[in-house]
Amino acid sequence: RIPVGTFFVSRGASAQNMVATAEATATLTGDGWAPVSVSAACANRPRDVPADDDTFTVRRSPQQQELQRLMPALAKAGADSKVEQAAVWIVTDDADYDDLGILVSRSIYQVFGGTRVINEEEVALAMKICGEAGIDIRRKAIWGDVSEILDGLDDEDLKAWLKQRGKS
C-alpha cells in the first residue's frame, strides 16, 4: 500500500521530487519486481520533470509538516491534478502566480509557448484547500498576487473566501 502523501525523493539532483496524490496498491506475489503506477504531483518546481530513467527513494512522510497536512486535504477535496500541483508548489516552493504559470499545455510539434494550465480558478481553489489544511496562506508568496487572482476569478464562493481570508 502506498498512501497519499508518500514522498519520493529523486536520486538525481536535477529532477523534481514527487508526492503521491492518491493511494495506490500492488499485490506482490513473488520475489521479483512489480510495476506500480502512482498518481503524483511534482515538488521542487525549478527542477526538471522526472524522466523514465530517474529513480527515487521512498519516504513514508515528508519532513515538511505543511505537506503532511495538505495531502489528506487534497484527497478529501477531490481536487483535479492542476489544483493538486498548484497546492503542492505553493507549499514546497512558495510559488507565486507567475511561478505556477510554468505548467503549460502545447502540441507535440510546439517547442516553445503554449497555454497556461494553472489559472486563477485552480490557484484560488488550491489556496482554499491549503487554508482548510491549516496552512496560513497569507504567509505564502501567492498571497501577494491575491488581487490579480481575484480579478480573473469567476467563482463567487472562492472570491468570497479569499476576501474573507484577507480580513482575518
Side-chain angles (χ1 to χ4, degrees), residues 127 136-139 143 146-147 150 158-168:
M127 291 170 74
D136 187 352
I137 202 69
R138 293 172 300 173
R139 295 188 182 270
W143 191 255
V146 74
S147 295
L150 281 167
L158 286 175
K159 277 185 180 182
W161 185 87
L162 282 172
K163 288 177 181 176
Q164 181 59 37
R165 187 61 72 207
K167 294 177 184 174
S168 40

Side-chain angles (χ1 to χ4, degrees), residues 143-156:
W143 191 255
D145 298 323
V146 74
S147 295
E148 180 180 358
I149 294 163
L150 281 167
D151 286 345
L153 197 56
D154 293 327
D155 186 306
E156 293 300 324

Side-chain angles (χ1 to χ4, degrees), residues 89-156:
W89 278 339
I90 287 168
V91 168
T92 61
D93 295 272
D94 199 19
D96 63 18
Y97 187 70
D98 285 340
D99 293 336
L100 296 174
I102 194 172
L103 191 59
V104 295
S105 172
R106 57 179 162 237
S107 77
I108 60 172
Y109 305 108
Q110 191 176 1
V111 178
F112 298 106
T115 305
R116 183 185 179 113
V117 173
I118 300 174
N119 293 298
E120 293 90 349
E121 193 87 17
E122 291 82 17
V123 173
L125 186 51
M127 291 170 74
K128 183 176 183 200
I129 294 169
C130 285
E132 290 169 348
I135 298 165
D136 187 352
I137 202 69
R138 293 172 300 173
R139 295 188 182 270
K140 299 292 184 184
I142 195 70
W143 191 255
D145 298 323
V146 74
S147 295
E148 180 180 358
I149 294 163
L150 281 167
D151 286 345
L153 197 56
D154 293 327
D155 186 306
E156 293 300 324

Side-chain angles (χ1 to χ4, degrees), residues 10 15 21 30 54 67-68 73 101 124-125:
S10 174
T21 58
D54 284 308
L67 202 51
Q68 289 175 313
L125 186 51

Side-chain angles (χ1 to χ4, degrees), residues 11-106:
R11 290 186 187 214
S14 64
Q16 295 187 48
N17 296 325
M18 306 292 286
V19 182
T21 58
E23 182 174 303
T25 58
T27 303
L28 304 176
T29 57
D31 293 340
W33 290 94
V36 180
S37 292
V38 180
S39 178
C42 293
N44 317 104
R45 186 192 51 77
R47 293 186 190 175
D48 296 334
V49 173
D52 290 340
D53 59 343
D54 284 308
T55 59
F56 299 86
T57 55
V58 178
R59 290 191 184 161
R60 182 172 287 273
S61 60
Q63 294 175 352
Q64 248 175 308
Q65 292 179 357
E66 288 181 339
L67 202 51
Q68 289 175 313
R69 292 193 312 263
L70 175 63
M71 299 317 293
L74 282 170
K76 181 180 174 186
D80 68 20
S81 61
K82 298 179 285 189
V83 174
E84 289 175 341
Q85 187 61 76
V88 168
W89 278 339
I90 287 168
V91 168
T92 61
D93 295 272
D94 199 19
D96 63 18
Y97 187 70
D98 285 340
D99 293 336
L100 296 174
I102 194 172
L103 191 59
V104 295
S105 172
R106 57 179 162 237

